[in-house]
Amino acid sequence: MKRYLHALCMCFSMFSALPAPLHIWEEDARPLMLLFLPFVGGVIGGIWALGGWIMQELGLPALLQGAILCSLPFLLTGCIHLDGYMDVCDAVGSCRDMEQRQRILKDPHVGSFSVIYCILLILGQFALLCSKKAGVPWWPLLLIPVTSRICAGFAVTLLRPMSTSEYAGVYRQGIRRGHLVWFGGLFAGVCSIGFALGGLYGMVVPASALGYALSILKPIRALGGMSGDISGYGLTLGELAGLFIYILL
């Protein structure tokens, strides 16, 4: 039980900018961290939805609401997933051979492709959030970060990692079949709750999952396997896909 508590704290410390209950690191608990990634998504999604509701009640201008809500998911994660998104954009966009693409992925410098695609991502998210219709509930925003992180857990657990990825080493030795059962059960539960409470608004769950799955196909082929950066790339685009369906409905 202690290892699971440590893994929860480590997950919050590593994948969010939110204060963790305890500041500890236990290497043996590392493979368990991703099990709690959806809980981090739940907290982030809860703050996202609550922030939207509060600003609506305060009557803030739509553009200001859009700007704040667009920024919140990035700020609450410390931009860790946005960093992965930008790294993948640079690597895949370079159109070099695989070895060079993998080297670009690990390069700390910012390239032109990452800047261009980051601007497009933020513009898209900002435009969607500014387009929210009056009377549309805010609570579906809670489901989007949870779903994207369930998909991230699935992908990192199930897919073959890049040879240079941190997930290719000690972490893989801690993978258990129970990880997949856990993420599968969570996805089914979140999907059921979404449709039961909100009818068509439950579509944000499969939309986020589909967006994640489709977005990682090209990077995995281009880079020779799964990695944390690709997971961040898929998570970012999966949330954009869920947000698109949310606004469309």
Side-chain angles (χ1 to χ4, degrees):
M1 191 65 184
K2 185 178 179 181
R3 286 179 65 221
Y4 286 93
L5 175 61
H6 289 176
L8 172 63
C9 297
M10 290 160 61
C11 189
F12 269 94
S13 296
M14 186 168 185
F15 296 112
S16 80
L18 300 168
L22 295 171
H23 294 281
I24 56 173
W25 185 270
E26 182 183 335
E27 195 62 30
D28 288 345
R30 187 174 181 177
L32 301 174
M33 276 199 307
L34 288 185
L35 296 177
F36 297 98
L37 194 54
F39 290 92
V40 176
V43 174
I44 290 170
I47 296 172
W48 202 18
L50 181 62
W53 179 78
I54 290 173
M55 286 187 287
Q56 179 177 269
E57 292 299 304
L58 292 174
L60 297 184
L63 289 177
L64 180 57
Q65 290 188 43
I68 294 173
L69 289 173
C70 180
S71 305
L72 266 180
F74 303 132
L75 296 176
L76 292 172
T77 58
C79 295
I80 185 172
H81 304 302
L82 183 62
D83 176 70
Y85 168 83
M86 295 178 71
D87 287 341
V88 172
C89 287
D90 264 340
V92 176
S94 70
C95 298
R96 306 290 181 86
D97 60 71
M98 186 177 294
E99 184 178 347
Q100 288 179 304
R101 288 195 294 263
Q102 290 179 345
R103 188 158 52 246
I104 292 170
L105 185 70
K106 298 300 180 183
D107 192 330
H109 299 93
V110 177
S112 56
F113 288 108
S114 64
V115 173
I116 292 167
Y117 284 108
C118 184
I119 291 172
L120 292 176
L121 170 72
I122 293 172
L123 280 176
Q125 188 156 307
F126 173 70
L128 287 170
L129 288 164
C130 287
S131 302
K132 179 185 175 293
K133 302 180 185 72
V136 173
W138 287 103
W139 65 263
L141 288 182
L142 187 153
L143 303 179
I144 295 174
V146 175
T147 305
S148 65
R149 283 157 179 80
I150 291 173
C151 293
F154 255 128
V156 172
T157 300
L158 186 62
L159 301 178
R160 178 178 60 86
M162 286 173 51
S163 58
T164 56
S165 171
E166 62 179 307
Y167 297 119
V170 176
Y171 174 77
R172 298 299 296 181
Q173 299 172 13
I175 292 291
R176 299 289 184 270
R177 186 175 297 179
H179 283 50
L180 297 178
V181 175
W182 168 252
F183 290 123
L186 281 180
F187 181 79
V190 171
C191 203
S192 299
I193 290 170
F195 283 108
L197 293 180
L200 282 178
Y201 288 113
M203 284 298 297
V204 300
V205 176
S208 299
L210 183 61
Y212 184 99
L214 293 178
S215 66
I216 65 173
L217 293 177
K218 183 177 179 180
I220 287 175
R221 288 196 300 268
L223 295 167
M226 190 65 186
S227 73
D229 286 328
I230 295 175
S231 181
Y233 176 87
L235 188 150
T236 302
L237 292 179
E239 291 183 354
L240 186 67
L243 187 60
F244 176 78
I245 294 299
Y246 168 65
I247 297 301
L248 188 65
L249 294 173

